[in-house]
Structures are given as C-alpha cells and as structure tokens.
Amino acid sequence: MSTFKAKSIWTAFITAFFALLAALGLMGATATATENGAAEPTTTNQEHTGPTAATATTPSVRWALPRDTALPPTMKQRIRAEAHGSSPATRHLSDGATNTEDATSTEGTTSTASATDSHGTAHAGDVTSTVGTDSAPRTGGTARTEGTPRPPLALAPRRIERPDVRPVCEPCGSGEAVRIDVGGGPVTAGNNGWTGMGRDWTDHDHVRRCLDEGAGPEAWSGGRPLHRAAVFGSPEVVAELAGRVADVDAPENGVTALWEAVVAGKPENARVLAAAGADPWRPSLGGWSPGRLGLAGPAPDLFPVPAGVRLTDTERATAREARRLLAALGEFHHDGFGLACVAGIDAAEAVRRLEAAPVRDEVAGGILDDPYEYDMDESLRIIGVTSVPGGCVVTQPWGYAPQMPGVLTRLSAGTVCYGLYANPKSGNQGSIARCGVIEGWDLHPGGGPYEDGTSGEVLSAYLYRHSAVAYCCAFAGLRPTGPRAVVGPPDLWVELPDRDHWSH
C-alpha cells in the first residue's frame, strides 16, 4: 500500500510538472507522450519486496525557430545594385510559398518526430531522419513535423541543359525547331521553317533552300526575315528575300528594312533593297527618311537625290563634327569604365564643385595596376579630371563613380552633363543631369535611334551608333582633340569626400 501511495504521489508530481511546462509554452506533444508513459500502474496481487525507484524521462525540448522567408537576390537585382552602387535587396517568399516550403524539401529524405525510449514510448521533438526511404508522405519532398526546427534553405544554381550549336545548319523543314545562339547558349524555338537561322544570314544557298521547302518569307521568330537580312545578311540573301515578300517596305517596329540597312551601315544591302523597289525617301523616325539620313553618313551617294532634298547647315555641321570626334577618340576597350562629360567648366572648377582633394599619381597608378586589390569603398572615391575644349571630362577606369547622382548633380549646376557607366554585365548605362537635376537615367548611349526620338536625337544616335563615349562628348558639346581625356592619364587625380554620393 505504501508503494502504491508513493507512486501515486510521484505520478501527481510529474503530471503537475508537465502541466507547468505546457503552460509556459515549452511543451506540446511531449507532455502527453510522457504522461502516457508515466501512467499509474495497476495493482497486482504479487508481493512486493520493496519500493521501486521511478525515473522520469527527460523531455526533449525544441525551441521553434523563426520562419526563414528571405531568399538571396536574383542576378538581375545584383547587376542593377552593382551598377547603382547599392546593396541588392533580398526577396521574400509569399505565404503560399512559405507554407509549401515548410511542408516539403528535396533529396527524398523523410523526417519523423518520433524517438522511442526503452518502453517504446514516442517522444515528440526527438527528430530522427531516414534517408532514401519509400515512405515519404509527399512526392519529391521531405515531411517536417510542425514545431521542429526548419532546415536551412539550400539554394544552388540550376543547370539548364541545352542542345549544342551546330556549325552547319540542319536541313530545312517547315515547322521544325531552330537552334539560336543567344550568347548564353542555344535556345530551341519555332521559326516558321527557318531551321538553323540565327544571327548569320549570309548563306544564300541555305536561305533559298529554306524558302523552297516552305519557310515563310514574311515571318521569322517574331520579326521579318528581310529586316534581319538587311542588318546581318549578304546582298544576295537580301535580294532573294526582297523578291519573295509581298511588300519590300513592310515595317517592323515602325521602320523598313531599308532604314535598318542604312542605320546599320550596310550600303550594299541598301542599294539592293532600293533596286527591289524600296523607297529611300519614305519618312520614318524623327521625320528622317533612309535616303536623307544616309546623306549625313559615310556613304552620302547611296541613292539618287531628288531636287530640293538636302541637309540643313546645322545637320551638316553635326555630321562633320561627328566624323572629326570619332577619328580623334579612336577605338578603345572601356568595359567597367565610368565617365561624366561636363559642359562649360574646366577641371579646376569640377574639383571645386565636388570638394575633392588631390591624390598623388602613384596612388592612382597602384589602383590602375590591380583595382581589385583595394577596398571598393576607397577606390571608388578616386577619379580623374581633364579639361577639354568645351568643358571637362571626369573619368574612372575601374568603376561607376562619375555617374553617381551626387556627382552629376554637383557638376551640372548651371550647366549640363552626361554620365556613362560601361557595365560589363548589362551594357552601356547613361544618365543626364541639368542644372543640378537628374533628367534621364538608365539610358543607352550608342544604341541607335529610338522610335520616339526627336530629329536631332535620331541624327546623333545614327552618327554615334556603337560609339557611346563619343556620343556622351557630343551631347555635352565637348570637342576633345585626342583620347587622353578618356583613356588617361588625366590632368589630375582627386579623391571625393567621404559622403553619400547616391543622394541627389
């Protein structure tokens, strides 16, 4: 009787103890499981020689971790953040995605919150894992019992298998897929029978075979084959397609194939199109016709000029300066390079406006030798400044500091400047500041005319196509006589003050 009474007292104590833990939020299913295991024993008629010591099983307490809903930034976010000098923000899962991820993960691993003690009692919170079992409750995932710690989110780059690019085009066939080389690898897409056609449209035999086997002359991958050939094709291919389309002047994105050939600097293709009936004097972007725009280019004698059609004095002067400026700057590699062209002020005034301090040449030279050996926050503050006819040029061979808004707004007080960052990942990024205000951002200097461009903008875009630095100089009215202001060495190296140059 005394033994039974002792066990009753002990059971009551255990029950009260676990009730207290449950009230404090430290116990869930553990209390129930342990209470069942410590249930009051039934009396027997056996004679007991003495009391048996009762041993309480120590509960396995798991602290619930906060749900991790943050994902690393996408590559696009990282590129944009790098271009603008900020830290990429994390992404967050939606509630639905979070709940799904709470329930499942990968690797075909089943986690169960069941561990048995010597009496076969399951204790919630003791997690055992069985890898590679066939009893996973959900296809392709890991079941996770509510209340257990959430495993860390494992993100790995996806590997996308793509077909190899064939050096020789496959035989054509209507409705077959095409392999297009887009830089990151070939992509399979349907192209109206134009199998094997990507960027190269110079193989006349192949193009003719595609057409004879049913390829459509009016459509290719969302565009027109004739427009594609006008830019990337041979005169023979252009002539073949021009003879098969219903309208040689059919527009794509507001322009004709002849316009594309003129802007791309393909005079032979332009002449073939004109001979096939394309109209050189049909108005297009900014009020320009292909023929009149060609008068400002390197081949002004492309087409017979009707009476009364000519360039204005201003347009002729603009074209003449473009030829001089392009020759003066020459060609150079400028990926990762930053620049600001400022009108009407010299290098000394630019330094005063930026409140910059002089830096010894050997300091800048060390950064030039290996920019990545230096802390980015420090190296971005070193810039070069050079006076040129018409203003000055601010440069940074290793970064985007000249294009930062705080730099542009200070430099443009009472004037105008054009900033450029030659982002090696996403291309040239331009910006315009006028009288201390950012007017344009994320522009594309040197990228060709825009559909909504003004007459002057279309002319400049045509003259400086693929020449972003020259475009920036021309926009600000700078007239450098050589490349030194851009490629160095500058008149002086200076250090920007330590402040937030991303605020306007």
Side-chain angles (χ1 to χ4, degrees), residues 226-368:
L226 186 57
H227 284 68
R228 196 73 178 172
V231 178
F232 301 109
S234 63
E236 294 78 15
V237 170
V238 172
E240 185 73 41
L241 288 168
R244 302 212 188 197
V245 296
D247 181 4
V248 73
D249 274 333
E252 177 186 318
N253 297 325
V255 298
T256 64
L258 181 57
W259 172 275
E260 293 279 34
V262 171
V263 171
K266 301 287 186 177
E268 293 303 321
N269 290 352
R271 290 189 178 97
V272 168
L273 286 166
D279 183 5
W281 311 106
R282 173 175 174 165
S284 191
L285 306 187
W288 289 89
S289 65
R292 189 165 177 272
L293 190 64
L295 295 177
D301 58 346
L302 268 177
F303 318 108
V305 182
V309 176
R310 61 181 183 274
L311 298 176
T312 66
D313 293 342
T314 301
E315 292 165 347
R316 279 196 297 271
T318 300
R320 187 166 52 250
E321 172 59 18
R323 290 191 291 271
R324 187 207 65 79
L325 181 56
L326 290 169
L329 292 177
E331 296 183 1
F332 49 86
H333 178 77
H334 63 279
D335 274 356
F337 168 90
L339 167 143
C341 296
V342 192
I345 65 172
D346 60 11
E349 174 62 15
V351 172
R352 187 193 67 79
R353 293 184 178 194
L354 294 173
E355 300 176 357
V359 172
R360 297 193 311 274
D361 289 347
E362 53 266 29
V363 173
I367 301 176
L368 276 170

Side-chain angles (χ1 to χ4, degrees), residues 415-456:
T415 185
V416 63
C417 65
Y418 199 107
L420 166 70
Y421 174 51
N423 192 324
K425 296 181 179 179
S426 58
N428 296 321
Q429 298 171 331
S431 52
I432 301 171
R434 192 184 305 273
C435 296
V437 178
I438 302 295
E439 286 189 348
W441 187 260
D442 203 16
L443 308 176
H444 187 47
Y450 287 98
E451 190 170 357
D452 58 351
T454 64
S455 176

Side-chain angles (χ1 to χ4, degrees), residues 95 128 133 145-146 161 166 227 235 252 317 325 336 368 394 405 459 476:
D95 292 340
T128 60
T133 64
T145 304
E146 185 66 29
E161 299 295 339
R166 295 177 63 88
H227 284 68
E252 177 186 318
L325 181 56
L368 276 170
V394 180
L459 177 59

Side-chain angles (χ1 to χ4, degrees), residues 175-186:
E176 292 183 6
V178 62
R179 290 169 179 172
I180 310 167
D181 186 357
V182 293

Side-chain angles (χ1 to χ4, degrees), residues 180-181 197-202 220 228 232-233:
I180 310 167
D181 186 357
M197 299 304 298
R199 191 178 182 89
D200 184 6
W201 286 71
T202 59
W220 172 86
R228 196 73 178 172
F232 301 109

Side-chain angles (χ1 to χ4, degrees), residues 13 33 82 97 127 164 174 254 272 335 371 379 396 401 432 443 452 485 503:
F13 173 77
E82 177 187 336
V127 179
D164 294 333
S174 180
V272 168
D335 274 356
S379 64
Q396 188 175 72
I432 301 171
L443 308 176
D452 58 351
S503 60

